[in-house]
Amino acid sequence: MTTIEAEAGAQVRSISSRPDLRLGADWIACADPAVQDDFLNELAEGELMALPFLFEFWAMEHQLPPEGNWRAWVVMGGRGAGKTRAGAEWVRAQVEGAGPKDAGRCSRIALIGETVDQTRDVMVFGESGILACSPPDRRPEWQATRKRLVWPNGAVAQVFSAHDPEGLRGPQFDGAWVDELAKWKRADEAWDMLQFALRLGELPQVCVTTTPRTVGIMKDLLASPSTVVTHAPTEANRANLAASFLEEVERRYAGTRLGRQELDGVLLEDSEGALWSSALLEAHRVKDIPELDRIVVAVDPPAGSKSGADECGIVVVGVQHAEDPKDWRALVLEDASIQGATPNGWASAAITAMERWDAERLVVEVNQGGDMVSSVIRQVDPLVAITAVHASRGKAARAEPIAALYEQGRVSHLRGLAELEDQMCRMTVRGYDGKGSPDRVDALVWALHEAMIVPSESYRKPQIRAL
């Protein structure tokens, strides 16, 4: 190790007290070139070499642990959002002391990934792993035969596989870093064994870095009062990702439930007993719009127009006809729903959606407003073809025959319907398992009922039908 490298290591903690460094990289990046030059010129050579290892300076907000006496910190984000770097730097912060030989807060750390190979290759040797993040004089030694890292101050991090929960029976720790918990096949068993092993020190803590998935262990962990969460989408780490990667994944997955999970880092839940599932919707997603024989727009008007009122569901559906109606295929083209609009506002939005897609009919639920609903729409477009429908059964009962069309593979979705699909995956046989009213789903049901279930005869005048 050179003298400069040693000085760099020694400066890692000391320079963190400087006010200008505490302002962070964002401040430096946004400053005038002259300010940037002055900042860098004022740093000693050791400070310059130490700066890359001062994570508090470079970190994004979601990569820094929240304050407080939490038990588990979950860093939940999209692919490439900087979760691994956050985990590696958290381990550093736990084991490193003021000097290379000084003790840190923790001395026994568990590193757990889905397999030993993944733990070693990502968490230890990865580009954002512990070794890559460590200053020269604090860099731990990898002992391959014992599957562990040993720091100059004696701290040890042991590698484990979530496939072998029993491997955690016996050892004890004062800290742990868990990676991609949501995809572990034996997550519950491994997590339970880890909790029994976290029994050293005054407050043993665990950092969990994961892309969200709706699994039991994640639901339980996030519901715990001792858990804190930071969150970020893939986009937050754009500066450190290949532009071609972002362009490709956004082109393929933006506006889909899979994209919300894998890119936005949002935990999406499929309610128990849901009429639709994420897997079902993703399996029937299409990129291109085929030639359509008929397009309809359905509207589920809100009960009021005040701020915070239920949304006005507006959904556009196209259908391909065949000789046998059983061979008809539908495509959900757009969710144009809006919230907090006046009657004239949502009526205008519905008519605009019809014009955008050259739709031939507007289906409107009239339970909330009766004849007034049609009158409001006629004020916007006196010539629009309207079919007024009245709900005589509950939402779940109306939705079940529509869900059956999906199970038969007769309905597909374009991208960009994420909010509609979220509601669909919360509509159960018992009713809607979510906040507010599923107005988007209601509009979808009316649109598909008109396009697929009602005989495809042209209507010469507005009608009232019950469903």
Side-chain angles (χ1 to χ4, degrees), residues 272-318:
E272 184 177 355
L275 297 176
W276 292 273
S277 68
S278 297
L280 177 66
L281 297 176
E282 290 297 338
H284 295 96
R285 193 176 306 283
V286 299
K287 298 179 181 178
D288 302 317
I289 301 175
E291 183 176 347
L292 299 170
D293 298 300
R294 188 172 183 231
I295 297 177
V296 299
V297 176
V299 181
D300 179 42
S305 59
K306 295 181 180 179
S307 177
D310 289 336
E311 296 168 313
C312 175
I314 304 174
V315 172
V316 185
V317 168

Coordinates of all heavy atoms in Angstrom, one line a residue, residues 272-318:
E272 N -56.0 -12.0 -2.5 CA -56.4 -13.4 -2.4 C -57.8 -13.5 -3.0 O -58.7 -12.8 -2.7 CB -56.4 -13.9 -0.9 CG -56.7 -15.3 -0.8 CD -56.6 -15.8 0.7 OE1 -56.2 -15.0 1.5 OE2 -57.0 -16.9 0.9
G273 N -58.0 -14.5 -3.9 CA -59.2 -14.7 -4.6 C -59.5 -13.7 -5.7 O -60.7 -13.5 -6.1
A274 N -58.5 -13.0 -6.1 CA -58.7 -12.0 -7.2 C -59.2 -12.6 -8.5 O -58.8 -13.7 -8.8 CB -57.4 -11.2 -7.4
L275 N -60.0 -11.9 -9.2 CA -60.6 -12.4 -10.5 C -59.5 -12.4 -11.6 O -59.6 -13.1 -12.5 CB -61.8 -11.6 -10.9 CG -63.0 -11.6 -9.9 CD1 -64.1 -10.7 -10.4 CD2 -63.5 -13.1 -9.9
W276 N -58.5 -11.5 -11.4 CA -57.4 -11.4 -12.3 C -56.1 -11.5 -11.6 O -56.0 -11.1 -10.4 CB -57.4 -10.0 -13.1 CG -58.6 -9.9 -14.1 CD1 -58.6 -10.3 -15.3 CD2 -59.8 -9.2 -13.8 NE1 -59.8 -9.9 -15.9 CE2 -60.6 -9.3 -15.0 CE3 -60.4 -8.6 -12.7 CZ2 -61.9 -8.7 -15.1 CZ3 -61.6 -8.0 -12.7 CH2 -62.4 -8.1 -13.9
S277 N -55.0 -11.9 -12.2 CA -53.7 -12.0 -11.6 C -52.7 -11.2 -12.5 O -53.0 -11.1 -13.7 CB -53.3 -13.4 -11.4 OG -53.0 -14.0 -12.7
S278 N -51.6 -10.8 -11.9 CA -50.6 -10.2 -12.7 C -50.1 -11.1 -13.8 O -49.9 -10.7 -15.0 CB -49.4 -9.8 -11.8 OG -49.8 -8.8 -10.8
A279 N -49.9 -12.4 -13.5 CA -49.4 -13.3 -14.5 C -50.3 -13.4 -15.7 O -49.9 -13.5 -16.8 CB -49.1 -14.7 -13.8
L280 N -51.6 -13.5 -15.4 CA -52.6 -13.6 -16.4 C -52.6 -12.4 -17.4 O -52.6 -12.5 -18.6 CB -54.0 -13.8 -15.8 CG -55.2 -13.8 -16.8 CD1 -55.1 -15.1 -17.6 CD2 -56.5 -13.8 -16.1
L281 N -52.5 -11.2 -16.8 CA -52.5 -10.0 -17.6 C -51.2 -9.9 -18.4 O -51.3 -9.5 -19.6 CB -52.7 -8.8 -16.7 CG -54.0 -8.7 -15.9 CD1 -54.0 -7.5 -15.0 CD2 -55.2 -8.6 -16.8
E282 N -50.1 -10.2 -17.8 CA -48.8 -10.2 -18.6 C -48.8 -11.2 -19.7 O -48.2 -10.9 -20.8 CB -47.6 -10.4 -17.6 CG -47.4 -9.3 -16.7 CD -47.0 -8.0 -17.3 OE1 -46.5 -8.0 -18.5 OE2 -47.2 -6.9 -16.7
A283 N -49.4 -12.3 -19.5 CA -49.4 -13.4 -20.5 C -50.2 -13.0 -21.8 O -50.0 -13.6 -22.8 CB -50.0 -14.7 -19.9
H284 N -51.1 -12.0 -21.6 CA -52.0 -11.7 -22.7 C -51.7 -10.2 -23.1 O -52.7 -9.5 -23.6 CB -53.4 -11.9 -22.4 CG -53.8 -13.3 -22.2 ND1 -53.8 -13.9 -21.0 CD2 -54.1 -14.3 -23.1 CE1 -54.1 -15.2 -21.1 NE2 -54.3 -15.5 -22.4
R285 N -50.5 -9.7 -23.0 CA -50.2 -8.4 -23.4 C -49.7 -8.4 -24.8 O -48.9 -9.3 -25.2 CB -49.1 -7.8 -22.4 CG -49.0 -6.3 -22.6 CD -48.0 -5.7 -21.6 NE -48.4 -6.0 -20.3 CZ -49.3 -5.4 -19.6 NH1 -50.1 -4.5 -20.1 NH2 -49.5 -5.7 -18.3
V286 N -50.1 -7.4 -25.6 CA -49.6 -7.3 -27.0 C -49.0 -6.0 -27.2 O -49.2 -5.0 -26.5 CB -50.8 -7.5 -28.0 CG1 -51.4 -8.9 -27.8 CG2 -51.9 -6.5 -27.8
K287 N -48.1 -5.9 -28.3 CA -47.4 -4.7 -28.6 C -48.1 -3.9 -29.7 O -48.1 -2.7 -29.8 CB -46.0 -5.0 -29.0 CG -45.1 -5.6 -27.9 CD -43.8 -5.9 -28.5 CE -42.9 -6.5 -27.4 NZ -41.5 -6.9 -28.0
D288 N -48.7 -4.6 -30.7 CA -49.3 -4.0 -31.9 C -50.8 -4.1 -31.9 O -51.4 -5.0 -31.3 CB -48.7 -4.7 -33.1 CG -47.2 -4.7 -33.2 OD1 -46.6 -3.6 -32.9 OD2 -46.6 -5.7 -33.5
I289 N -51.4 -3.1 -32.5 CA -52.9 -3.1 -32.6 C -53.3 -3.7 -33.9 O -52.9 -3.2 -35.0 CB -53.4 -1.6 -32.5 CG1 -52.9 -1.0 -31.2 CG2 -54.9 -1.6 -32.6 CD1 -53.3 0.5 -31.1
P290 N -54.0 -4.8 -33.8 CA -54.5 -5.4 -35.1 C -55.7 -4.6 -35.7 O -56.1 -3.6 -35.1 CB -55.0 -6.8 -34.6 CG -55.5 -6.5 -33.2 CD -54.5 -5.5 -32.6
E291 N -56.1 -5.0 -36.8 CA -57.3 -4.4 -37.4 C -58.5 -4.7 -36.6 O -58.8 -5.9 -36.3 CB -57.5 -4.8 -38.9 CG -58.6 -4.1 -39.6 CD -58.7 -4.6 -41.0 OE1 -57.8 -5.2 -41.6 OE2 -59.8 -4.3 -41.7
L292 N -59.2 -3.7 -36.2 CA -60.4 -3.9 -35.3 C -61.7 -3.6 -36.0 O -61.8 -2.7 -36.9 CB -60.2 -3.0 -34.1 CG -59.0 -3.2 -33.2 CD1 -58.8 -2.1 -32.2 CD2 -59.1 -4.6 -32.5
D293 N -62.7 -4.4 -35.7 CA -64.0 -4.2 -36.3 C -64.9 -3.2 -35.6 O -65.8 -2.7 -36.2 CB -64.7 -5.6 -36.4 CG -63.9 -6.6 -37.3 OD1 -63.7 -6.3 -38.5 OD2 -63.5 -7.6 -36.7
R294 N -64.7 -3.1 -34.3 CA -65.5 -2.2 -33.6 C -64.8 -1.7 -32.4 O -64.0 -2.4 -31.7 CB -66.8 -3.0 -33.1 CG -67.9 -2.1 -32.4 CD -69.1 -2.9 -32.2 NE -70.2 -2.0 -31.6 CZ -70.9 -2.3 -30.6 NH1 -70.6 -3.4 -29.9 NH2 -71.8 -1.5 -30.1
I295 N -65.0 -0.4 -32.0 CA -64.4 0.2 -30.8 C -65.4 0.9 -30.0 O -66.3 1.6 -30.6 CB -63.3 1.2 -31.2 CG1 -62.1 0.5 -32.0 CG2 -62.7 1.9 -30.0 CD1 -61.0 1.4 -32.5
V296 N -65.4 0.6 -28.7 CA -66.4 1.3 -27.8 C -65.6 1.9 -26.7 O -64.5 1.5 -26.3 CB -67.4 0.3 -27.3 CG1 -68.2 -0.3 -28.4 CG2 -66.8 -0.8 -26.4
V297 N -66.2 3.0 -26.1 CA -65.7 3.6 -24.9 C -66.8 3.5 -23.8 O -67.9 3.7 -24.1 CB -65.4 5.1 -25.2 CG1 -64.9 5.8 -23.9 CG2 -64.3 5.2 -26.2
A298 N -66.3 3.1 -22.6 CA -67.3 3.0 -21.5 C -66.9 4.0 -20.4 O -65.7 4.2 -20.2 CB -67.3 1.6 -21.0
V299 N -67.9 4.5 -19.7 CA -67.7 5.5 -18.7 C -68.5 5.1 -17.4 O -69.6 4.7 -17.5 CB -68.2 6.9 -19.2 CG1 -68.0 7.9 -18.1 CG2 -67.6 7.3 -20.4
D300 N -67.8 5.1 -16.3 CA -68.4 4.9 -15.0 C -68.3 6.3 -14.3 O -67.3 6.6 -13.6 CB -67.7 3.8 -14.2 CG -68.3 3.6 -12.9 OD1 -69.6 3.6 -12.8 OD2 -67.6 3.5 -11.9
P301 N -69.3 7.1 -14.4 CA -69.2 8.5 -13.8 C -69.1 8.4 -12.3 O -69.6 7.5 -11.6 CB -70.6 9.1 -14.2 CG -71.1 8.3 -15.3 CD -70.6 6.9 -15.0
P302 N -68.4 9.4 -11.7 CA -68.2 9.4 -10.2 C -69.5 10.0 -9.6 O -70.3 10.6 -10.2 CB -67.1 10.4 -10.0 CG -67.2 11.3 -11.2 CD -67.7 10.5 -12.4
A303 N -69.6 9.7 -8.3 CA -70.8 10.2 -7.5 C -70.7 11.7 -7.3 O -71.7 12.3 -7.1 CB -70.9 9.5 -6.2
G304 N -69.5 12.3 -7.3 CA -69.3 13.7 -7.1 C -68.1 14.2 -7.9 O -67.4 13.5 -8.5
S305 N -67.9 15.5 -7.8 CA -66.8 16.1 -8.6 C -65.9 16.9 -7.7 O -65.0 17.6 -8.2 CB -67.4 17.1 -9.7 OG -68.2 18.1 -9.1
K306 N -66.0 16.7 -6.4 CA -65.1 17.4 -5.5 C -63.7 16.8 -5.5 O -63.5 15.6 -5.9 CB -65.7 17.4 -4.1 CG -67.0 18.1 -3.9 CD -67.5 18.0 -2.4 CE -68.8 18.8 -2.3 NZ -69.2 18.7 -0.9
S307 N -62.7 17.6 -5.1 CA -61.3 17.1 -5.0 C -61.3 15.9 -4.1 O -61.8 15.9 -3.0 CB -60.4 18.2 -4.5 OG -59.1 17.7 -4.4
G308 N -60.7 14.8 -4.5 CA -60.6 13.6 -3.7 C -61.8 12.6 -3.9 O -61.8 11.6 -3.3
A309 N -62.7 13.0 -4.8 CA -63.9 12.2 -5.1 C -63.4 11.0 -5.9 O -62.2 10.9 -6.4 CB -64.9 12.9 -5.9
D310 N -64.2 9.9 -6.0 CA -63.9 8.8 -6.8 C -63.5 9.2 -8.3 O -64.0 10.2 -8.8 CB -65.0 7.8 -6.8 CG -65.2 7.1 -5.5 OD1 -64.2 7.0 -4.7 OD2 -66.3 6.6 -5.2
E311 N -62.7 8.4 -8.9 CA -62.3 8.6 -10.3 C -63.5 8.4 -11.2 O -64.5 7.7 -10.8 CB -61.2 7.7 -10.7 CG -59.9 7.9 -9.9 CD -59.0 6.7 -10.2 OE1 -59.4 5.6 -10.1 OE2 -57.8 7.0 -10.4
C312 N -63.5 9.0 -12.3 CA -64.4 8.7 -13.4 C -63.7 7.7 -14.3 O -62.7 8.0 -15.0 CB -64.8 9.9 -14.2 SG -65.8 9.5 -15.7
G313 N -64.2 6.4 -14.3 CA -63.6 5.4 -15.1 C -63.9 5.6 -16.6 O -65.1 5.7 -16.9
I314 N -62.9 5.6 -17.4 CA -63.1 5.8 -18.9 C -62.1 4.8 -19.5 O -60.9 4.9 -19.4 CB -62.8 7.2 -19.4 CG1 -63.6 8.2 -18.6 CG2 -63.0 7.3 -20.9 CD1 -63.3 9.7 -19.0
V315 N -62.7 3.8 -20.2 CA -61.9 2.7 -20.8 C -62.3 2.5 -22.2 O -63.5 2.5 -22.5 CB -62.0 1.4 -20.0 CG1 -61.3 0.2 -20.7 CG2 -61.4 1.6 -18.6
V316 N -61.3 2.3 -23.1 CA -61.5 2.1 -24.5 C -61.2 0.6 -24.9 O -60.1 0.1 -24.5 CB -60.6 3.0 -25.4 CG1 -61.0 2.9 -26.8 CG2 -60.8 4.5 -24.9
V317 N -62.1 0.0 -25.6 CA -61.9 -1.4 -26.0 C -62.2 -1.6 -27.4 O -63.2 -1.0 -27.9 CB -62.8 -2.3 -25.1 CG1 -62.9 -3.7 -25.7 CG2 -62.3 -2.4 -23.7
G318 N -61.4 -2.4 -28.1 CA -61.7 -2.7 -29.5 C -61.9 -4.2 -29.6 O -61.5 -5.0 -28.8

